[in-house]
């Protein structure tokens, strides 16, 4: 095992991160946030989507950037659809409805960065708002 850097620095090993099951074939690996850093001003992690899955249309109280790491993604941002491949990224301002869907036959992985520590998710269809990665932040489901 690699030595850890001196605090407050972090070294994240994905195989040591506890998965957050979003339901319906979607799981998140939280990397950096208020749960492990008192100084970070961002929240980061990775979400893994099984084939044909996605999250519901939603918005956040902070900006978000997403990098496609693996698979074939469709991003819906403010009512427009975009097909993305690994290496492509998005940036979405706070309050703009968006979602990511796995349109491929294999796993899709994204790396996300939120511009804040206290992140919320608001589901567009219901208006329900809850804390990011809380027990209410589920909603993964097949897209077809």
């Amino acid at each position: 095992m690699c030595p850890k850097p001196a605090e407050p620095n972090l070294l994240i090993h994905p195989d040591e991160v506890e998965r957050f099951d979003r339901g319906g074939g979607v799981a998140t690996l939280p990397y950096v946030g208020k749960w492990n850093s008192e100084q970070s001003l961002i929240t980061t992690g990775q979400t893994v989507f099984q084939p044909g899955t996605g999250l519901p249309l939603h918005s956040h109280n902070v900006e978000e950037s997403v990098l496609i790491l693996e698979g074939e993604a469709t991003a819906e941002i403010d009512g427009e659809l975009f097909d993305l491949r690994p290496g492509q990224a998005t940036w979405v301002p706070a309050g703009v409805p968006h979602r990511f869907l796995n349109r491929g036959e294999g796993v899709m992985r994204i790396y996300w960065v939120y511009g804040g520590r206290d992140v919320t998710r608001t589901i567009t269809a219901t208006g329900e708002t809850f804390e990011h990665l809380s027990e209410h932040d589920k909603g993964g489901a097949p897209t077809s």
Side-chain angles (χ1 to χ4, degrees), residues 7-22:
E7 290 188 19
N9 303 299
L10 295 173
L11 181 61
I12 310 299
H13 296 279
D15 55 342
E16 297 175 5
V17 174
E18 184 176 345
R19 283 181 172 261
F20 179 76
D21 185 2
R22 310 294 289 274

Side-chain angles (χ1 to χ4, degrees), residues 96-107:
V96 173
H98 62 281
R99 66 180 176 158
F100 293 86
L101 310 169
N102 182 351
R103 65 182 165 82
E105 295 182 18
V107 167

Side-chain angles (χ1 to χ4, degrees), residues 35-91:
W35 55 86
N36 63 0
S37 172
E38 292 181 16
Q39 295 183 7
S40 70
L41 300 178
I42 61 170
T43 303
T44 73
Q46 182 182 145
T47 299
V48 180
F49 298 80
Q50 295 304 311
T53 63
L55 290 172
L57 196 61
H58 62 276
S59 60
H60 301 286
N61 61 320
V62 296
E63 64 187 324
E64 179 184 22
S65 181
V66 168
L67 171 66
I68 307 303
L69 297 172
E70 176 183 1
E72 298 177 50
T74 296
E76 181 177 351
I77 303 171
D78 208 14
E80 293 188 62
L81 298 176
F82 306 92
D83 288 341
L84 303 172
R85 63 183 186 281
Q88 293 183 305
T90 63
W91 175 78

